[in-house]
């Protein structure tokens, strides 16, 4: 996140009169915004979205609804799903995650309430499932590399170019490439299934990643930190919403949206069927889908606004205008469930492991 955006986010929080509780200070994964107007109405949100990106949206929402007392829990994608399936599920009023198959599965199993608001009815069909599950961000999956590490070679601005780079510069890049671990990361597994569907040469790319002994990470933040400190020269399949501002603050890094095809993921939000405070939850989700909420997403975060009336950097309209048919949003439809089939999941992961180790010096 750029310094200017951080300052803007802090100004919004101060303007809204929000102060973090001592619990929030002790645990940066929990944000608390006490109500500033009585009677207070509780709202608990569980999300897989970094707190510094979520904070401006929470502050903007509470400025519009000062009677709402907000608590936000930041979790990893799989921890979020497991927590929902445990006894703790009863505490969540809103659940949001970029692990699209798991969110779709919850809604498909009848775990989500229907939202009947003007914003929900007007939301584009391609970015929702019925009126129970909504994609409210537009986040391309990108490649990030260090300029100084790739001097004299063609930059990896497509999947084909990346495959060529890994093949031709194997010794130079050994141990200096990083990508998601699809075994441990829900997002990484989702990208692997989509890549395998989109590219007939995907398995060659996985083998080439193994050939350079690519490091396997759990989060985009982990990959970006390694790129910034020079441990890695190239990062593959990073979440562009996290990478955009980070790269802006680190001029030695370059972010590219692949020109041959660019996966786009979305944060999917739902209201659990047994949400303790459904009315407050409906207000929050309606806010995320409203023009005002989407403007906050565009102006105060790098998450990318979906709203069809909005233009500007990172919006769905802007990316479609720039990249055209190369943009490939992951569909919110039953195909997501196929990726969670136990046999298919094991089959894909086992093949991924075979290909990854095929060219390694130590063998499978």
């Amino acid at each position: 996140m750029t310094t200017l955006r951080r300052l803007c986010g802090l100004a919004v929080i101060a303007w809204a009169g929000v102060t973090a509780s001592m619990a929030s200070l002790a645990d940066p994964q929990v944000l608390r915004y006490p109500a500033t107007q009585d009677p207070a109405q509780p709202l608990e949100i569980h999300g897989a979205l970094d707190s510094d990106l979520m904070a401006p949206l929470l502050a903007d929402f509470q400025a519009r609804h000062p009677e709402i007392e907000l608590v936000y829990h930041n979790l990893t994608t799989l921890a979020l799903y497991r927590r929902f399936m445990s006894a703790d599920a009863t505490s969540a009023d809103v659940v949001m995650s970029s692990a699209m198959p798991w969110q779709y599965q919850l809604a498909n199993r009848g775990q989500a309430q229907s939202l009947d608001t003007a914003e929900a009815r007007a939301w584009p069909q391609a970015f929702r499932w019925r009126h129970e599950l909504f994609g409210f961000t537009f986040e391309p999956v990108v490649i990030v590399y260090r300029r100084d590490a790739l001097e004299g070679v063609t930059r990896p601005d497509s999947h084909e170019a990346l495959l060529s780079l890994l093949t031709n510069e194997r010794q130079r890049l050994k141990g200096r490439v990083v990508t998601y671990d699809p075994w441990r990361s829900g997002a990484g597994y989702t990208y692997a299934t989509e890549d395998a569907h989109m590219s007939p040469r995907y398995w060659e790319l996985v083998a080439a990643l193994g050939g350079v002994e690519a490091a396997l990470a759990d989060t985009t933040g982990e990959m970006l930190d390694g790129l910034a400190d020079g441990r890695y020269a190239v990062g593959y399949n990073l979440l562009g919403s996290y990478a955009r501002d980070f790269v802006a603050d680190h001029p030695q890094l370059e972010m590219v949206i692949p020109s041959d095809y660019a996966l786009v993921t979305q944060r999917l939000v739902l209201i659990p069927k047994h949400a303790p405070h459904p009315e407050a939850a409906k207000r929050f989700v309606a806010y995320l889908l409203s023009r005002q909420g989407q403007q906050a997403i565009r102006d105060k975060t790098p998450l990318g606004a979906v709203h069809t009336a909005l233009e500007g950097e990172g919006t769905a309209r802007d990316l479609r205008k720039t990249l055209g048919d190369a943009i490939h949003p992951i569909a919110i439809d039953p195909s997501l469930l196929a990726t969670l089939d136990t046999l298919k999941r094991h089959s894909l992961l086992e093949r991924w492991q075979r290909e990854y180790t095929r060219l390694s010096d130590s063998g499978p």
Side-chain angles (χ1 to χ4, degrees), residues 127-145:
F127 301 120
R128 63 178 170 86
W129 182 71
R130 303 200 298 204
H131 288 102
E132 299 171 18
L133 188 66
F134 301 90
F136 65 96
T137 65
F138 201 80
E139 304 172 56
V141 179
V142 304
I143 298 168
V144 177
Y145 64 90

Side-chain angles (χ1 to χ4, degrees), residues 5 49 53 57 123 127 135-140 239-245 257 264-268 288-291 293-308 310-319:
R5 180 162 283 149
L49 177 58
L53 296 182
L57 302 181
W123 204 242
F127 301 120
F136 65 96
T137 65
F138 201 80
E139 304 172 56
L239 197 54
S241 53
Y242 287 7
R244 194 179 83 186
D245 281 354
I257 301 175
V264 177
T265 190
Q266 298 174 71
R267 310 275 162 175
L268 299 186
L288 292 178
L289 306 182
S290 70
R291 181 163 182 155
Q294 288 283 297
Q295 283 177 329
I297 287 172
R298 180 192 65 183
D299 298 340
K300 304 176 190 299
T301 80
L303 296 172
V306 176
H307 201 292
T308 56
L310 297 179
E311 295 182 305
E313 184 181 10
T315 63
R317 286 187 67 176
D318 180 71
L319 286 173

Side-chain angles (χ1 to χ4, degrees), residues 179-213:
T179 190
Y180 272 112
D181 185 339
W183 289 84
R184 300 196 310 263
S185 165
Y189 172 71
T190 302
Y191 303 157
T193 59
E194 292 293 325
D195 275 333
H197 174 72
M198 288 296 298
S199 172
R201 303 193 71 186
Y202 173 64
W203 296 115
E204 293 179 56
L205 180 56
V206 174
L209 288 166
V212 297
E213 300 176 5

